[in-house]
Amino acid sequence: MEKFTNIPDVKLGIIAVSRDCFVISLSEKRRAAVAKAFAGKGSIFEAKTTVENEKDMLKAVEEVKAAGCNALVVFLGNFGPETPETQIAQKFDGPCMFVAAAEESDKDLINGRGDAYCGMLNCSYNLNLRHIPAVIPEYPVGTADDIAQMIEDFIPVARTIIGIKNLKIITFGSRPQDFFACNAPIKALYDLGIEIQENSELDLLVSYRNHKGDSRIPSVIEDMTKELGDGNQFPDLLERMAQFEVTLLDWAEQNKGSRKYVAFADKCWPAFPKEFGFEPCYVNSRLASRGIPVACEVDIYGALSEYIGTCVSGAPVTLLDINNSVPRDMYENSIKGKSAYPYTLQDTFMAFHCGNTPLCMLNKASNPAVKYQLIQNRLLENGGTPDFTRGTLEGDLQPGKITFFRLQSSADTQLKAYIAQGEILNVPSKSFGGIGVFAIPEMGRFYRHVLIGKQYPHHGAVAFGNCGKALYTIFQYLNIGDIAYNQPKEVRYPDENPFC
């Protein structure tokens, strides 16, 4: 798996603040202790200017900017000055987290007491007064070691916020007929600061044809052959797919414009395979493995969700249909009664897509390979010997922890999101496509009262790991008013029938 170049590198800085009626050295000493505690986890630039007033604020912000910082920790080493400490976030061009120092010892509660616990209250009021978004941890007061952990948790959040601010989503094709779930209005994306470039499928086809014979194609074929190994079932297809990969990468580079990062949302059926001569799924999976999501079916919010997951996890993600129920006999034979799987039948489901999940996230035991799209073969090739419906990357998804999530706009342009943590079970799917047997606690109720009840589409982004904490913080920072999650058994959904 190549090193990602499509997500930001976070360069952290820390600025301490001090209210002028408190001893400034207390805040400085505590800031140094935080920097020392974090040294074992990563790098952080320690601004030497401690902020007591607005002039200090301007000097400190210039100091961290000159050091190349793009994310900032504002540290209340004592009560803190309400106006300049919040102006730091106003003047700094990047995400800021506000944290406060806990008192260290009962032996030093006179001259050594900082009252930052109190100061955070006024700080939060002033942030809201100025409409300044900020990250505030669940419990933002702690010792140097506590705050070092908060900073570590802040990194994926900061990386995502920076990425979104510098993202362009490139689309090809109109959103599919009878796929109204993919037709959510895009105005909310502009509200988030994301740029959109919408193109025709013909634009992509013309560019693809212009790349015929490109000198880079043989090296891409060689890389595909090495990656697939025994899964290279259609060697004759590789030249076409390599040409397409080069086409997409060139389009991204030539059309970033003012933005640093890109994601794609492409039309992939029904016209695509016949005109291009293959299914794009395997190529899409390869780009996703480099941190460049390519969402199927022109799912723009799916592409955004995938990109968010990539930034949060620092690893490839995928986009899947919340697809079908687990058959009762599969549940009885492979899941029920096993100590590792404390799930009911309704906690389980199968998630699927044609073949866009990166190879590194497929279970080797399922012998993943490039195959053909069975459903489109029936539709477009009358179920005959597959030709242009080849190109899917198929296999069972690797078992392990996952987070299923999505950021979505409603029809009236209100942003909403859901997050549900669970796992992919080590249970053979006995089916086709890129597919896995999933389990999420209380999935049946979540399915009814969030996915159906709040009218979410069938596509969901999947991060390979439990990322709910960071995702929830990010959605809060983005001011998403409705963030749903799978409620525990003892907590009812507002619209849940109390008699069931």
Side-chain angles (χ1 to χ4, degrees):
M1 189 172 66
E2 297 186 23
K3 177 176 169 58
F4 287 1
T5 56
N6 196 47
I7 62 174
D9 286 325
V10 176
K11 297 180 180 177
L12 286 168
I14 182 169
I15 295 176
V17 302
S18 174
R19 200 171 189 91
D20 56 10
C21 57
F22 284 79
V23 180
I24 192 172
S25 60
L26 178 63
S27 194
E28 291 172 335
K29 179 185 73 172
R30 289 173 168 177
R31 178 197 68 210
V34 170
K36 182 178 179 181
F38 186 71
K41 299 176 181 291
S43 176
I44 190 166
F45 174 76
E46 190 180 354
K48 299 306 179 184
T49 304
T50 301
V51 173
E52 290 186 305
N53 54 55
E54 292 187 43
K55 288 186 177 180
D56 292 338
M57 176 273 298
L58 292 171
K59 184 179 177 182
V61 169
E62 286 306 311
E63 192 178 341
V64 293
K65 284 183 178 179
C69 297
N70 58 6
L72 194 58
V73 178
V74 181
F75 174 61
L76 278 65
N78 59 40
F79 190 98
E82 299 160 33
T83 295
E85 72 189 8
T86 50
Q87 286 178 324
I88 292 171
Q90 196 171 49
K91 298 293 184 181
F92 180 75
D93 186 23
C96 294
M97 179 175 71
F98 284 76
V99 291
E103 313 299 356
E104 288 101 343
S105 172
D106 63 1
K107 299 178 179 62
D108 194 17
L109 283 174
I110 298 178
N111 292 326
R113 197 186 80 191
D115 297 359
Y117 187 85
C118 183
M120 274 299 297
L121 301 174
N122 288 17
C123 175
S124 66
Y125 180 85
N126 275 265
L127 287 168
N128 182 65
L129 194 66
R130 298 169 188 277
H131 302 290
I132 300 171
V135 173
I136 299 177
E138 283 301 298
Y139 185 70
V141 182
T143 65
D145 287 338
D146 295 332
I147 289 172
Q149 183 58 56
M150 296 177 204
I151 295 171
E152 187 174 22
D153 292 343
F154 175 54
I155 292 172
V157 173
R159 185 166 57 227
T160 306
I161 293 166
I162 296 165
I164 289 172
K165 186 177 179 181
N166 291 280
L167 179 65
K168 175 179 280 188
I169 299 176
I170 297 170
T171 77
F172 290 105
S174 58
R175 283 165 272 182
Q177 181 186 12
D178 268 355
F179 261 63
F180 290 101
C182 292
N183 278 274
I186 63 173
K187 177 186 179 299
L189 297 173
Y190 289 107
D191 293 340
L192 291 176
I194 295 166
E195 191 59 54
I196 310 292
Q197 183 195 86
E198 295 185 281
N199 308 280
S200 162
E201 290 170 275
L202 287 174
D203 296 324
L204 184 58
L205 184 60
V206 168
S207 182
Y208 173 72
R209 288 174 175 169
N210 288 340
H211 279 79
K212 186 175 179 60
D214 190 287
S215 61
R216 295 165 290 177
I217 290 174
S219 65
V220 177
I221 293 173
E222 183 181 355
D223 189 58
M224 288 176 167
T225 303
K226 182 179 177 181
E227 179 185 42
L228 288 170
D230 293 339
N232 185 13
Q233 295 191 355
F234 305 115
D236 65 297
L237 207 59
L238 296 189
E239 183 174 1
R240 286 177 247 175
M241 294 194 294
Q243 182 178 333
F244 185 58
E245 182 172 310
V246 171
T247 301
L248 283 180
L249 290 173
D250 277 359
W251 193 287
E253 194 58 40
Q254 293 163 10
N255 289 271
K256 283 181 182 177
S258 61
R259 299 306 172 103
K260 296 179 182 178
Y261 313 112
V262 296
F264 287 100
D266 295 354
K267 189 78 168 282
C268 50
W269 65 272
F272 184 101
K274 188 172 183 180
E275 294 305 313
F276 283 78
F278 59 93
E279 298 282 0
C281 309
Y282 175 51
V283 174
N284 294 354
S285 81
R286 282 174 55 85
L287 265 65
S289 72
R290 304 180 205 180
I292 307 172
V294 186
C296 315
E297 298 158 327
V298 205
D299 182 1
I300 296 175
Y301 284 92
L304 173 58
S305 299
E306 283 189 273
Y307 184 73
I308 289 171
T310 302
C311 288
V312 168
S313 66
V317 297
T318 192
L319 187 75
L320 299 176
D321 289 353
I322 302 166
N323 200 67
N324 58 278
S325 60
V326 170
R328 185 172 290 276
D329 58 352
M330 178 184 284
Y331 173 77
E332 297 281 349
N333 295 332
S334 302
I335 301 171
K336 185 178 180 180
K338 296 188 182 297
S339 59
Y341 299 153
Y343 301 112
T344 69
L345 177 59
Q346 288 189 4
D347 290 337
T348 64
F349 66 103
M350 297 175 79
F352 153 93
H353 238 160
C354 310
N356 59 319
T357 300
L359 186 64
C360 58
M361 295 305 178
L362 297 179
N363 189 346
K364 291 181 181 179
S366 68
N367 299 314
V370 171
K371 299 184 181 179
Y372 68 95
Q373 219 293 345
L374 177 63
I375 299 170
Q376 291 196 39
N377 175 256
R378 294 175 192 147
L379 176 67
L380 302 175
E381 296 182 311
N382 298 315
T385 302
D387 176 20
F388 56 79
T389 56
R390 297 176 298 162
T392 56
L393 180 62
E394 303 197 22
D396 287 357
L397 278 68
Q398 66 180 15
K401 294 179 180 179
I402 58 92
T403 307
F404 230 113
F405 67 99
R406 185 175 178 92
L407 178 61
Q408 176 74 9
S409 172
S410 62
D412 59 353
T413 325
Q414 299 297 310
L415 283 170
K416 56 185 178 179
Y418 70 77
I419 307 165
Q421 293 187 157
E423 64 175 314
I424 299 171
L425 305 184
N426 193 12
V427 174
S429 70
K430 302 182 180 180
S431 193
F432 64 94
I435 191 167
V437 178
F438 284 68
I440 290 174
E442 297 298 313
M443 177 64 188
R445 297 168 60 238
F446 178 75
Y447 174 77
R448 172 61 184 87
H449 298 288
V450 174
L451 299 180
I452 293 175
K454 295 176 181 285
Q455 298 85 51
Y456 277 100
H458 61 295
H459 285 179
V462 177
F464 294 89
N466 283 171
C467 307
K469 180 179 179 181
L471 287 168
Y472 198 92
T473 301
I474 290 160
F475 293 151
Q476 282 185 317
Y477 182 94
L478 296 176
N479 199 30
I480 310 303
D482 181 355
I483 309 172
Y485 62 95
N486 51 315
Q487 302 277 31
K489 184 179 294 186
E490 62 275 9
V491 181
R492 278 199 327 113
Y493 292 94
D495 63 337
E496 189 169 3
N497 188 329
F499 301 101
C500 288

